[in-house]
Amino acid sequence: MNCIALRHRLHQHPELANVEVDTAARLVEYLSPLSPDNVVTGIGGTGVAVCFGDASAGRTVMLRCELDALPISETNTFDYRSVVAGVSHKCGHDGHMAILAAVAQHYASNRPKTGQVVLMFQPAEETGAGAKAVLADQLSQQFKPDFVFALHNVPKFPLGEVIVKQGTMCCASRGVIIRLTGKTAHAAQPETGISPLKAVHQLLPLFEQLPQLIDSESAFTFATVVGVKLGEKAFGTAPADGEIYVTLRSESNGEMERLVELVSNEVAAVATAHQLSYAIDYEDVFDATVNDEQAVNIISAALTDEPVRITPEPFRWSEDFGQFTRLYRGALFGLGAGEQTPALHNPDYDFPDQLIEIGSRYFIKIIEHCFNQNVN
Ligand SMILES: [Zn+2]
Ligand SMILES: [Zn+2]
């Protein structure tokens, strides 16, 4: 089976975050015949690391990709469409895995002589939990990468174009759940209860003003109200419970801290003023993915013969690869997936197979540069 067939097989059998058991097993089955120098499974849950070469012989370069699919029903009709109802690979992680498998094939027949290549297949990227779990696991601590790289395919950019920048490559984001609780009342006597309606009404416009309120200059600081819930369809009852769901986004981790602090202060003030109790929870917490200067320079220097676009703007979306670049020198770059390819997470999206050869070629050039050039 070649890497395109592997990608199709992974696409057909997608698994959600944290339960990528069969996906991990399929990868091990596919890669074991290449006789890697080390295979470690069960990292941070279902994570798998496949290594070629010897860390004591030189630098260790880690590449990271993701195992998980999304809770989206696929609308494509090709042969290898998802056979799992309501789950499909709509972020192209099947393609990212196939790219690392192609890199593995290369190093199986061209064993690294001056270092080690670690291919890290990480679980649960979409929830923001997988990278943290992998890095917290003792099993991953045997690897001491000098550099770590990842790519993400990006529709609407020319096929094969590299999109990269210094500093923040992907924004920080987090989901905020605000719960307000008052007291129910008969709808004929609402004044005897405490409805969260006025507090919700007061809080919603606040989110639009957040960039000004924290004095952010960045165009990437904003809050999106993704849901509001108040009471029930019960016409005799004035509500006691209200919930607001908001996604916060920022270019830097510092701005995210200020947003979170401001939101929690405002919610406390408004809830108290309306005699409501409240709770604030967070889900899908992603730090900014901040690229290391040296790692970005390596990408530029290694890919001088390839189309590389240095972009001034980060991607608005988030990636948990930022956890790796907090610990190690590293960088994530975008890989153009073609102008006609549907957007990520769309139900008709599919990873372009041509990118498997292109992405693996770029990664190999980057690894070789790390091994052979005098980079510090
Ligand atoms: Zn995604
Ligand atoms: Zn993704």
Side-chain angles (χ1 to χ4, degrees):
M1 186 168 33
N2 64 25
C3 289
I4 292 176
L6 171 70
R7 208 273 296 172
H8 292 183
R9 194 161 168 228
L10 295 169
H11 188 95
Q12 212 167 6
H13 303 280
E15 292 173 299
L16 291 174
N18 291 316
V19 291
E20 310 94 331
V21 177
D22 292 343
T23 304
R26 280 176 217 283
L27 288 165
V28 172
E29 184 192 339
Y30 186 83
L31 297 171
S32 293
L34 301 176
S35 304
D37 293 300
N38 192 7
V39 177
V40 184
T41 59
I43 308 174
T46 56
V48 176
V50 175
C51 312
F52 293 89
D54 177 359
S56 65
R59 293 197 173 95
T60 292
V61 184
M62 180 183 281
L63 305 181
R64 168 281 206 173
C65 72
E66 322 90 319
L67 295 167
D68 55 333
L70 284 156
I72 297 172
S73 293
E74 172 148 54
T75 55
N76 294 322
T77 54
F78 43 62
D79 309 348
Y80 59 89
R81 66 185 174 276
S82 169
V83 297
V84 183
V87 181
S88 55
H89 272 294
K90 292 299 159 195
C91 209
H93 297 176
D94 50 344
H96 302 167
M97 289 184 267
I99 287 173
L100 259 58
V103 173
Q105 284 179 333
H106 172 84
Y107 283 106
S109 43
N110 304 272
R111 298 273 161 172
K113 293 182 186 65
T114 54
Q116 184 189 35
V117 177
V118 179
L119 305 172
M120 178 64 79
F121 298 82
Q122 176 214 301
E125 189 285 322
E126 295 286 355
T127 64
K132 284 183 200 139
V134 161
L135 291 166
D137 192 326
Q138 289 285 341
L139 288 172
S140 74
Q141 286 159 17
Q142 62 191 289
F143 308 117
K144 304 272 181 256
D146 295 284
F147 292 100
V148 53
F149 296 95
L151 62 75
H152 205 295
N153 79 98
V154 195
K156 313 303 170 200
F157 284 86
L159 194 88
E161 185 174 80
V162 169
I163 307 111
V164 72
K165 73 185 283 292
Q166 296 285 2
T168 298
M169 188 75 243
C170 308
C171 286
S173 69
R174 70 164 66 192
V176 188
I177 303 159
I178 299 157
R179 293 193 178 86
L180 300 164
T181 310
K183 191 167 87 173
T184 56
H186 196 293
Q189 291 178 307
E191 70 279 9
T192 66
I194 305 170
S195 166
L197 175 64
K198 284 189 179 139
V200 170
H201 192 70
Q202 206 174 327
L203 285 170
L204 290 181
L206 173 91
F207 298 117
E208 279 166 37
Q209 300 160 19
L210 283 177
Q212 298 94 292
L213 293 173
I214 66 154
D215 286 327
S216 174
E217 307 258 301
S218 163
F220 299 90
T221 307
F222 56 99
T224 309
V225 176
V226 297
V228 180
K229 195 169 165 289
L230 187 77
E232 305 296 332
K233 196 175 82 177
F235 296 103
T237 308
D241 299 305
E243 291 188 0
I244 308 173
Y245 313 123
V246 194
T247 309
L248 302 178
R249 199 166 295 282
S250 68
E251 192 169 345
S252 75
N253 292 323
E255 283 167 323
M256 180 57 73
E257 279 168 29
R258 278 148 60 204
L259 286 175
V260 167
E261 192 185 345
L262 181 70
V263 167
S264 74
N265 290 345
E266 291 291 333
V267 168
V270 171
T272 307
H274 293 277
Q275 294 171 293
L276 298 157
S277 58
Y278 69 94
I280 303 173
D281 286 316
Y282 303 101
E283 272 182 25
D284 293 9
V285 176
F286 291 86
D287 287 339
T289 293
V290 182
N291 282 347
D292 171 77
E293 187 181 352
Q294 183 76 46
V296 173
N297 291 342
I298 289 170
I299 292 172
S300 302
L303 302 180
T304 43
D305 299 334
E306 310 291 355
V308 176
R309 179 200 300 235
I310 305 292
T311 174
E313 296 197 336
F315 296 125
R316 283 190 178 198
W317 37 270
S318 304
E319 243 293 342
D320 74 356
F321 185 68
Q323 298 300 323
F324 285 88
T325 57
R326 268 179 180 259
L327 287 184
Y328 306 113
R329 286 180 158 189
L332 178 142
F333 60 93
L335 180 60
E339 281 99 334
Q340 303 308 319
T341 299
L344 298 174
H345 296 207
N346 279 10
D348 53 344
Y349 167 86
D350 187 39
F351 183 88
D353 282 324
Q354 305 98 293
L355 285 184
I356 297 173
E357 188 280 322
I358 296 171
S360 58
R361 178 157 48 87
Y362 292 177
F363 269 149
I364 292 162
K365 285 187 176 189
I366 290 167
I367 293 168
E368 291 302 311
H369 192 91
C370 291
F371 282 164
N372 300 325
Q373 301 297 314
N374 207 5
V375 288
N376 294 305

